[in-house]
Amino acid sequence: MAGLRIARRMAALGTMAGLGAALASLASCGDPQRRDATRNLLVEEPAAEPEPAPRPTRAPTVVDAQDFIDRAATIDAFIIATSELAARRPAAVDVRAFARSMIDEHQRALAGLRAATGRLTPPLTLDATLPIDMRARLDALRDTDDDAFAGAYLRAQVSAHETAMVTLQSYAVSGNIAALKELARDRIPEINRHLVQARELETR
């Protein structure tokens, strides 16, 4: 009987301990600080995204006058040299007539460019020496047989006049000398006309 009474007393004590722990837990839930700490652990506020840095304003690239006149002069010289070949080679009448007109008009344009650069203060001296790539294309055209020559010549004229258009338009917009910018603008219609003619002949 004594053992039975001791067992019942132990069970009662265990029940009271469990109730005490439950009450303590409820009390902690009522504690604002602990409730806030629990909330902070369970819910994370999203971090604010940093604002993107402003993009720097890019100034337009200024085209140097010396680079422009040398580039324009070598294109004129290439068109003249290739057209002199075409004027001497067997080809359709309209191709040879186009070649002769290219010689006349680009020689006049090259002379005008030289005169314009000589009037600058200080004057600039242009260099019309063909660069390596243009010399190679001229040599390749010279070695082309008669049957394929006209097509190769006209392709060279289309490419050269396209390059001339880009060169003139670029300087007309971003050049650093007003007189040369005006010259570039004035030449654009003529180069465009040559380009249209070369493309028309090429597609025939």
Side-chain angles (χ1 to χ4, degrees), residues 89-176:
R89 296 286 291 268
V93 173
D94 52 0
V95 174
R96 284 186 292 166
F98 174 74
R100 287 192 294 271
S101 70
M102 292 302 99
I103 296 169
D104 293 341
E105 294 188 35
H106 283 272
Q107 283 179 339
R108 184 164 54 249
L110 185 55
L113 184 58
R114 281 199 177 97
T117 57
R119 289 192 296 268
L120 297 175
T121 306
L124 295 177
T125 302
L126 59 84
D127 183 3
T129 304
L130 293 183
I132 293 174
D133 62 323
M134 286 186 176
R135 289 203 303 271
R137 290 164 60 192
L138 178 61
D139 290 341
L141 185 62
R142 186 180 290 111
D143 294 337
T144 303
D145 61 46
D146 291 342
D147 292 337
F149 180 85
Y153 165 70
L154 292 171
R155 285 191 296 274
Q157 299 313 297
V158 169
S159 176
H161 282 87
E162 287 175 342
T163 303
M165 282 290 288
V166 172
T167 302
L168 294 170
Q169 289 171 340
S170 178
Y171 196 82
V173 172
S174 303
N176 59 348

Side-chain angles (χ1 to χ4, degrees), residues 65-83:
Q66 189 67 59
D67 291 341
F68 164 67
I69 63 174
D70 288 346
R71 184 65 172 163
T74 57
I75 294 170
D76 282 329
F78 176 79
I79 292 172
I80 293 167
T82 53
S83 295

